[in-house]
Amino acid sequence: MVQFKNVFIGEETRPYQRAVTSQKCIRAGGKHNDLDNVGYTARHHTFFEMLGNFSFGDYFKEDAIFYAWDLLTREFALPAEKLLVTVYADDEEAAGLWKKVTGFDDRKIIKIATADNFWSMGDTGPCGPCSEIFYDHGDHIPGGPPGSPDEDGDRFIEIWNLVFMQFDQQADGKRVALPKPSIDTGMGLERIAAVLQGVHDNYDIDLFKTLIAASEEALQVKASGGARASHRVIADHLRSISFLLADGVTPSNEGRGYVLRRIMRRAMRHAHLLGAKEPVVHTLVPTLVDEMGAAYPELVRAKALIENNILQEEERFLRTLGRGMGLLNEATASLGKGDQLPGDVAFKLYDTYGFPLDLTEDALRAKDITVDKAGFDAAMAAQKASGRAHWKGSGDAGSAGLWDRGDGANLASTMFLGYGQESAKAHLLAMAKAGEMVSQAKAGDAVELVFDQTPFYAESGGQTGDTGLIRFADQGEVRISDTIKTARGVFIHLGTVERGTINVGDDAELLVDHERRRAIRANHSATHLLHAALHRHLGDHVAQKGSFVGPDYLRFDFTHAGPLSAEELSRIEDEVNAIVRQNADAITRETSPEEAIKAGATALFGEKYGDTVRVLSLGQDMDDARRPYSIELCGGTHVGRTGDIALIKITGQSSVAAGVRRIEAVTGAKALEYVRAEEKALQEAAGLLKSLPEDLPKRLAQLLNERRALEREVSKLRKQVAMGGACSLGAGCRNHQRHRLYRPGSQ
């Protein structure tokens, strides 16, 4: 429901009052972490599909309860005697409505006084009491009803949660009534599928049975006994891994990439437990694509990328697994049931061998040994502290947080004028020096300036901030070296007072460095063209993973399994330059993110977009001139026509991380400089070899052949010397003469 948070609290409106959703969900960390349970219970997953219905100030409790009961008992034809519900202990209204709709007595409407039946998205934000609907799978399954001591068993399974959004939780602990009470529900597709297919275990539904069968075949081990949980882990984790990779996440040691790596390595360790000595998880991807590709076409598009990334990670992990497990076995040799593995050992496994903490815990589960988490956290904190102490960066962040507190927090967002202007008049609202808010600064002072409006672009989306000059009416001048902005959209101009005195409240003329901005615009537009070309030539799996746009060069990171060939790079370079030569107008328009994506615009995974976005279209499609060649959501500055880029020259490619490649390029005058430098180097090499540039490959091949022939001759002579000095060159050989004249005892 996070995408609807602002709708619930009244800060945003939508053109609809009701919604239904089917969402891909990953649950492997944070408040709702099911990772430890996956594979060992009938209902826990790292990836699941969540069905929901929402009301934004339209229907509320009574209708939500009726709709839920109607769907389950009439449409799904579930027997009422198999169902029971819970309500928040203080929510007498919900309890009364359930009695009215179902006819249940108090035994089947269970009041829960804990947070289990009061839902919130975090410490602050929309929240409210909830009502959970449970299905009784029968007394042959261990477990008790919710609220009982054995409620964690698998007999009574929650299939639907109705959240009654009534309050906004404030930071001071108060709950304020929402302007329009709303509804948010969530039903796990896998859980309701188990009920409707007549099984109590999610892993026995049709989808998981197919994946587990593929795992059994690949590993030649039946999913029974001790192997049962491992096959389930592999099947579940395969789904998480594949969907994360398809959405552009790649394995790394932080953020979403670390979540992905944890899940990958847990699946791979369970494959190892089942006897796998070679990579095997990647071979299961085709089965998943066959099962889920029709509903989720991104799996089909990214199939090769998913397989390659999993294979690379498997090969990497298998290289360290043996050493890591050896250390773990050695450390636990003297431990018994109920003992703890020292936290520093668990941290060494993480830091040296790439074992996430939960993987170590999982490996020790069968031995009933736990991990000293406090010790692990202490070792982690010590490493971070040491890293900070030895970090050699560009200097203290200074007043980076100054603008988010005190007077700085009261500033309104800055009006940006830079799409159409490179100079503007503005009013100085606030100023900081040496980490403190000040009202005046003099020549030589390093300052941070905030104006009511500005043509200076603030660093964002990979594009570097503008530089330039600010002239004040009383002859004061500030040379701007960078522009940044806060999360609230306040633009901060970093610079040095070159002459005069400046005061808060002064008016000034803001002048962006034109030549630098022009070069940045060309490089930024070039990244869009390269993105489109990479997508066309390499496949739909290509997704942007980062970029840098400066005045001298551009850098573009993207998902792809291996290096590009020289032929691929040439085709991409030829195509983007053909688009440049079209000299077509760059077209920008503002619209909603939904409309932009519907029109074909590329949005970045994980990027947050507001209600209105800028959409940039560049060039004409190679196959259909009515469509743009590139269309992306972007708030950066760009060329007016593709011809303004002049020339795009790719200068290199490299690997950034597993499954992520990087291309670097230059444009315009810098591209011409690069070509001339290459040409000069070619001329100098040709001169040294006394050859024409066009004959250089032939001349080099000739020299290499001559060198190889000489190396063979030298090798032959060395062998002859090594065989006792025997000379094959006849009686005139010096070695031969020395042997002939030498007599024992002679001088």
Side-chain angles (χ1 to χ4, degrees):
M1 52 69 64
V2 175
Q3 68 267 34
F4 297 131
K5 173 192 172 185
N6 290 337
V7 183
F8 287 135
I9 62 178
E11 292 183 356
E12 180 186 344
T13 59
R14 299 284 177 98
Y16 47 84
Q17 291 181 291
R18 301 182 179 191
V20 291
T21 59
S22 176
Q23 300 184 67
K24 301 176 292 185
C25 299
I26 299 289
R27 182 175 285 183
K31 183 175 76 169
H32 302 294
N33 182 6
D34 291 336
L35 190 60
D36 291 343
N37 294 318
V38 172
Y40 298 96
T41 72
R43 65 188 188 278
H44 287 106
H45 304 287
T46 56
F47 173 88
F48 56 96
E49 297 175 82
M50 181 66 81
L51 310 177
N53 62 283
F54 298 83
S55 163
F56 310 115
D58 187 22
Y59 62 86
F60 195 48
K61 282 186 190 177
E62 183 171 10
D63 286 333
I65 289 171
F66 170 77
Y67 292 149
W69 188 251
D70 185 65
L71 178 66
L72 292 174
T73 59
R74 189 169 66 87
E75 299 293 339
F76 290 172
L78 299 184
E81 61 271 17
K82 284 285 194 178
L83 302 172
L84 59 85
V85 298
T86 66
V87 296
Y88 188 54
D90 297 338
D91 194 356
E92 294 293 343
E93 180 187 8
L97 289 169
W98 276 114
K99 284 185 179 181
K100 175 183 173 182
V101 171
T102 66
F104 284 169
D105 58 28
D106 290 339
R107 290 174 301 172
K108 299 197 75 174
I109 302 175
I110 302 170
K111 294 182 177 180
I112 303 291
T114 67
D116 285 348
N117 275 65
F118 194 95
W119 196 95
S120 60
M121 66 170 288
D123 295 332
T124 60
C127 60
C130 60
S131 184
E132 297 177 327
I133 306 171
F134 287 76
Y135 185 85
D136 180 1
H137 281 281
D139 56 12
H140 63 291
I141 305 294
S148 68
D150 52 351
E151 64 179 359
D152 289 333
D154 285 335
R155 174 179 173 179
F156 293 89
I157 299 294
E158 176 207 336
I159 56 174
W160 205 351
N161 186 14
L162 315 182
V163 180
F164 309 125
M165 290 291 188
Q166 292 179 245
F167 308 105
D168 183 10
Q169 181 75 48
Q170 305 291 301
D172 60 5
K174 294 181 181 178
R175 286 178 185 158
V176 179
L178 291 174
K180 294 181 179 180
S182 301
I183 293 294
D184 159 25
T185 84
M187 173 192 284
L189 177 63
E190 293 80 6
R191 295 188 183 190
I192 194 65
V195 171
L196 294 176
Q197 292 180 23
V199 296
H200 97 277
D201 194 323
N202 291 5
Y203 291 94
D204 287 334
I205 65 175
D206 49 6
L207 171 61
F208 274 107
K209 287 171 70 174
T210 303
L211 296 177
I212 290 171
S215 178
E216 287 179 316
E217 183 177 353
L219 290 156
Q220 292 298 295
V221 177
K222 286 294 182 183
S224 58
R228 181 170 175 264
S230 290
H231 279 295
R232 290 173 167 223
V233 168
I234 293 167
D236 171 89
H237 289 12
L238 176 68
R239 303 204 312 163
S240 293
I241 293 165
S242 299
F243 278 101
L244 283 168
L245 287 167
D247 277 344
V249 181
T250 52
S252 70
N253 290 325
E254 58 186 14
R256 291 187 299 261
Y258 178 60
V259 172
L260 171 59
R261 177 162 280 166
R262 288 170 66 200
I263 298 171
M264 283 179 136
R265 294 196 164 184
R266 192 167 187 263
M268 293 162 191
R269 196 191 76 81
H270 277 274
H272 180 76
L273 286 176
L274 295 177
K277 304 300 181 186
E278 299 292 334
V280 70
V281 178
H282 71 285
T283 66
L284 305 178
V285 173
T287 302
L288 177 67
V289 174
D290 288 344
E291 287 293 313
M292 302 188 73
Y296 295 104
E298 63 267 32
L299 290 177
V300 179
R301 293 194 299 268
K303 178 174 175 286
L305 173 79
I306 296 168
E307 290 175 315
N308 288 332
N309 268 274
I310 296 176
L311 174 59
Q312 289 178 17
E313 193 68 16
E314 283 189 282
E315 290 173 337
R316 185 178 293 110
F317 186 50
L318 285 171
R319 285 195 294 269
T320 62
L321 180 63
R323 295 193 295 272
M325 291 304 296
L327 172 64
L328 186 59
N329 291 334
E330 181 181 331
T332 57
S334 60
L335 300 180
K337 287 186 176 182
D339 289 338
Q340 275 196 333
L341 179 75
D344 59 339
V345 177
F347 181 74
K348 184 177 181 181
L349 283 165
Y350 161 78
D351 193 42
T352 306
Y353 300 106
F355 277 41
L357 177 61
D358 45 55
L359 192 152
T360 300
E361 291 176 318
D362 196 59
L364 297 176
R365 182 192 294 262
K367 298 181 179 181
D368 198 19
I369 296 172
T370 59
V371 177
D372 175 14
K373 292 186 180 180
F376 178 89
D377 293 340
M380 175 75 82
Q383 187 202 56
K384 289 181 177 178
S386 175
R388 285 193 295 270
H390 293 90
W391 179 63
K392 304 297 183 183
S394 58
D396 192 348
S399 58
L402 178 66
W403 301 101
D404 291 322
R405 63 178 187 266
D407 293 340
N410 296 324
L411 293 168
S413 58
T414 309
M415 181 179 292
F416 178 59
L417 309 172
Y419 291 128
Q421 301 173 222
E422 292 184 3
S423 64
K425 302 286 187 182
H427 186 70
L428 182 60
L429 299 177
M431 175 166 50
K433 181 176 69 172
E436 299 291 337
M437 302 294 284
V438 297
S439 59
Q440 187 180 81
K442 298 178 180 180
D445 288 343
V447 293
E448 301 177 11
L449 309 177
V450 173
F451 295 87
D452 58 341
Q453 58 184 19
T454 181
F456 281 71
Y457 183 84
E459 180 180 352
S460 180
Q463 179 176 329
T464 190
D466 278 333
T467 64
L469 187 67
I470 297 179
R471 292 191 178 122
F472 288 83
D474 62 354
Q475 306 305 308
E477 283 190 355
V478 180
R479 179 68 58 180
I480 300 301
S481 59
D482 198 4
T483 310
I484 60 176
K485 66 178 177 180
T486 69
R488 294 178 295 105
V490 177
F491 284 49
I492 304 168
H493 306 73
L494 312 180
T496 303
V497 182
E498 291 196 328
R499 64 185 182 90
T501 300
I502 62 174
N503 299 278
V504 171
D506 287 349
D507 291 326
E509 183 181 17
L510 283 61
L511 305 166
V512 174
D513 183 330
H514 167 73
E515 285 302 315
R516 186 175 181 276
R517 165 74 80 83
R518 181 197 56 74
I520 291 171
R521 282 200 307 259
N523 283 338
H524 200 160
S525 297
T527 64
H528 285 226
L529 297 183
L530 284 167
H531 190 185
L534 289 164
H535 200 268
R536 279 171 54 89
H537 287 270
L538 302 183
D540 292 338
H541 65 274
V542 168
Q544 182 174 341
K545 295 298 294 178
S547 67
F548 170 79
V549 179
D552 298 324
Y553 75 102
L554 66 91
R555 186 174 69 222
F556 186 79
D557 299 344
F558 59 98
T559 51
H560 190 59
L564 279 65
S565 67
E567 291 76 18
E568 286 174 323
L569 286 173
S570 293
R571 286 197 298 270
I572 289 167
E573 192 175 80
D574 287 345
E575 185 164 296
V576 294
N577 280 297
I579 303 299
V580 169
R581 291 192 298 273
Q582 288 177 354
N583 199 28
D585 286 331
I587 300 171
T588 57
R589 63 188 180 93
E590 292 189 349
T591 184
S592 69
E594 295 80 11
E595 287 299 318
I597 293 170
K598 189 183 297 184
T602 299
L604 300 187
F605 176 75
E607 192 76 12
K608 292 182 173 65
Y609 297 103
D611 292 339
T612 304
V613 293
R614 285 175 61 85
V615 181
L616 173 70
S617 300
L618 290 171
Q620 296 174 340
D621 187 84
M622 308 293 285
D623 303 317
D624 184 353
R626 295 170 298 178
R627 299 184 313 199
Y629 179 77
S630 164
I631 176 170
E632 289 194 33
L633 307 186
C634 185
T637 60
H638 289 274
V639 297
R641 303 179 69 87
T642 59
D644 295 343
I645 300 172
L647 173 66
I648 300 174
K649 179 62 185 173
I650 297 173
T651 58
Q653 65 163 319
S654 59
S655 172
V656 178
V660 180
R661 303 293 301 175
R662 170 173 293 170
I663 276 185
E664 294 186 357
V666 287
T667 65
K670 291 292 181 182
L672 185 58
E673 286 179 19
Y674 179 85
V675 171
R676 284 178 173 168
E678 294 279 288
E679 185 180 52
K680 182 181 178 183
L682 185 64
Q683 292 281 4
E684 289 176 353
L688 288 171
L689 296 177
K690 296 180 173 56
S691 170
L692 294 173
E694 58 268 29
D695 294 333
L696 201 54
K698 183 178 178 181
R699 178 65 177 136
L700 282 171
Q702 179 184 351
L703 288 172
L704 288 172
N705 287 333
E706 291 175 359
R707 176 175 173 169
R708 281 191 285 269
L710 288 171
E711 287 175 344
R712 286 193 295 270
E713 184 64 27
V714 169
S715 177
K716 179 180 177 183
L717 291 172
R718 283 175 175 165
K719 287 179 182 178
Q720 291 173 348
V721 171
M723 291 173 65
C727 183
S728 61
L729 300 179
C733 175
R734 291 183 180 180
N735 281 342
H736 177 79
Q737 294 294 326
R738 280 199 297 270
H739 282 285
R740 186 175 61 81
L741 296 173
Y742 176 75
R743 296 288 186 274
S746 65
Q747 299 298 315

